[in-house]
Amino acid sequence: MHAALGLGLQLHFALPGIPRRRRPPGAPTIDIRAVSSPQLLERWSGPSGHPLWQTTFEGGARYVVQPGHDGDHLIEYAGRPAFHLSADGLNLSCADPLTQPASWQRTLSDSVLWTVALLHGAVLLHASAVEGPDGAVAIVAAQGSGKSSLAAQLALDGWPLVTDDILAVERRGEQIVAHPGPNLMNISQDPGIQVTPEALGEVLATFDNHSSREAWVLVRRFSEGDLPLAAVVLLKRGGNGPASVSRLPATTLDVTPYSLAFRRMPGAQRRRFEAISDLVERVPVFCVEAGVDVPPAELGAILQTKLQKSV
Amino acid sequence: MLPKAQQTLSPMTAVQVPAHVVFRAFAAETIVLNLQTGTYHGLNPTAGRMLQTLQQHEVIADAASAIAALYGQDQELVQSDLLTLCSGLVERGLLAVKPDA
């Protein structure tokens, strides 16, 4: 059994970065199969209403999640029907995976998996996370603020990767549990980035986007299962000041901007409000402020010191 | 539930938090979410405490008595503040007037 983002995953074709892990208690198991494009369309019941969500990735590929008449979902990627999720949410069909480029695999292990998790009611943070001494440390930040670089630095310092971009969280009793994601990272190759991808693992591909160059890395050291969420770190980069870390008297509003929800899904907003409120009541939230010139290694050292004292 | 235009609040008015409103109290602020509009609101700790009390005592005068007793404050002053708060919350769809039984 494979697992990621709180889902059990039964894979019927090779997909890098989805480790074998124990399925979280009560989690659904998603059967992931390869089909031909005509077979995929045979399973689709036809569009019902507006797309649930749509975006254009940095590389230019369009991503559309369309609900179907029968409660199933079709995901269009780069202008073609690429994935189909059955009405019960347990069967994910993938069109022609063997002929697809690495960017398609990256989309499946990232956006498609978290789309499926959201459709199953998961609560997701747009966060990188690593495994510290007391549990997962989630790093949230505005796009391009260096959360992956900081997570990569902490991983190089010996804290295993929990997830690169999306973290699934769940309240179990009085604890907030973090469900690890794929053991994959996108590491910027832009000038000034001081993390060497090869130091973290195997570079599977390199992607050139309009504004940046990224290495897609299969990370060697990663979390093997669920773990308590020990801290949330809001990373704020700007100006040229030194790095500082402080604990926030946080509320729901501090973390909600870094969470994901399909707003058109019934109950999604209420579920997110309750879950994020539960999280900030139980997990310390820190703010790390640093000028843009402060290197990830310095940020990582300051953060490790603070967390070891405070958590 | 009465239309907002017909809602003149008095101490004997009974109010309730509608089903489309959720809130959570924190030390520094109570966060309120209107699920119909997707809008978040922040209440200071005093207003947050008032909202919590209104969930237990629906009639504004009863809630004012409870708050006045809890904090050792003048009941008329608390009631006046509570009426002002309720008006603001009703206006924003965060509180609803219960129809007369």
Side-chain angles (χ1 to χ4, degrees):
Chain A
M1 174 65 70
H2 300 257
L5 300 178
L7 301 170
L9 303 170
Q10 195 70 54
L11 283 166
H12 295 277
F13 57 89
L15 185 66
I18 310 295
R20 289 192 179 278
R21 293 182 178 125
R22 187 176 296 175
R23 181 171 62 100
T29 297
I30 316 299
D31 196 74
I32 304 180
R33 287 181 187 273
V35 298
S36 66
S37 289
Q39 285 173 325
L40 185 114
L41 288 174
E42 281 171 17
R43 295 169 189 207
W44 172 227
S45 65
S48 171
H50 296 290
L52 202 54
W53 191 66
Q54 52 189 323
T55 191
T56 303
F57 295 140
E58 206 172 327
R62 190 113 184 98
Y63 183 89
V64 182
V65 180
Q66 176 67 53
H69 283 297
D70 295 347
D72 53 343
H73 289 84
L74 184 75
I75 299 173
E76 293 178 15
Y77 171 67
R80 58 184 288 264
F83 307 96
H84 176 265
L85 186 67
S86 59
D88 62 7
L90 299 179
N91 293 286
L92 180 68
S93 304
C94 307
D96 307 319
L98 299 180
T99 64
Q100 303 294 341
S103 58
W104 181 94
Q105 292 187 342
R106 185 167 74 151
T107 299
L108 172 53
S109 59
D110 184 340
S111 303
V112 176
L113 282 191
W114 68 247
T115 295
V116 173
L118 273 186
L119 290 171
H120 276 276
V123 176
L124 304 180
L125 296 180
H126 190 187
S128 298
V130 289
E131 184 176 340
D134 297 296
V137 177
I139 303 160
V140 298
Q143 191 76 29
S145 294
K147 66 180 190 303
S148 284
S149 296
L150 177 55
Q153 181 61 53
L154 291 166
L156 287 174
D157 291 343
W159 289 10
L161 177 74
V162 176
T163 195
D164 180 30
D165 196 43
I166 301 291
L167 180 67
V169 293
E170 179 188 6
R171 180 178 166 184
R172 276 196 210 142
E174 286 307 303
Q175 193 175 60
I176 305 297
V177 170
H179 298 294
N183 58 317
L184 296 162
M185 288 197 91
N186 295 297
I187 301 295
S188 173
Q189 298 291 274
D190 294 340
I193 301 297
Q194 298 169 7
V195 175
T196 308
E198 290 79 4
L200 285 165
E202 178 189 352
V203 176
L204 299 174
T206 303
F207 298 102
D208 287 305
N209 298 323
H210 298 304
S211 58
S212 63
R213 183 176 167 84
E214 283 181 340
W216 190 40
V217 181
L218 183 67
V219 177
R220 274 189 294 270
R221 291 198 64 214
F222 56 89
S223 291
E224 294 185 355
D226 294 350
L227 64 170
L229 181 61
V232 175
V233 175
L234 310 182
L235 176 61
K236 295 182 178 174
R237 306 292 298 259
N240 53 9
S244 66
V245 186
S246 58
R247 184 165 174 180
L248 294 178
T251 73
T252 320
L253 293 185
D254 293 296
V255 177
T256 298
Y258 305 103
S259 62
L260 285 79
F262 290 140
R263 297 181 109 199
R264 292 202 181 106
M265 247 182 91
Q269 286 203 82
R270 181 187 295 272
R271 199 161 48 242
R272 174 168 69 168
F273 180 85
E274 299 294 353
I276 301 297
S277 298
D278 287 347
L279 186 157
V280 293
E281 281 178 346
R282 290 165 177 79
V283 177
V285 179
F286 296 90
C287 181
V288 175
E289 292 183 278
V292 292
D293 294 333
V294 176
E298 187 180 330
L299 271 185
I302 291 170
L303 189 57
Q304 287 177 66
T305 302
K306 181 74 175 180
L307 291 176
Q308 279 160 359
K309 281 182 189 166
S310 303
V311 174
Chain B
M1 215 177 296
L2 297 172
K4 281 181 196 169
Q6 295 175 21
Q7 295 167 350
T8 305
L9 301 184
S10 78
M12 298 316 293
T13 303
V15 293
Q16 63 185 2
V17 178
H20 65 264
V21 173
V22 286
F23 69 91
R24 189 71 67 97
F26 295 91
E29 199 175 20
T30 290
I31 307 301
V32 187
L33 170 61
N34 184 335
L35 294 163
Q36 283 182 340
T37 62
T39 307
Y40 287 81
H41 304 261
L43 300 178
N44 67 33
T46 306
R49 183 68 202 173
M50 287 178 166
L51 183 61
Q52 285 179 290
T53 307
L54 285 165
Q55 273 202 315
Q56 297 153 0
H57 305 273
E58 294 178 336
V59 176
I60 293 174
D62 293 347
S65 295
I67 294 164
L70 185 65
Y71 292 103
Q73 297 290 317
D74 177 70
Q75 184 171 343
E76 281 193 22
L77 182 63
V78 171
Q79 190 167 283
S80 171
D81 290 346
L82 195 51
L83 280 165
T84 304
L85 174 70
C86 288
S87 294
L89 294 175
V90 168
E91 187 61 34
R92 289 167 178 79
L94 304 176
L95 199 63
V97 174
K98 289 185 83 172
D100 294 333

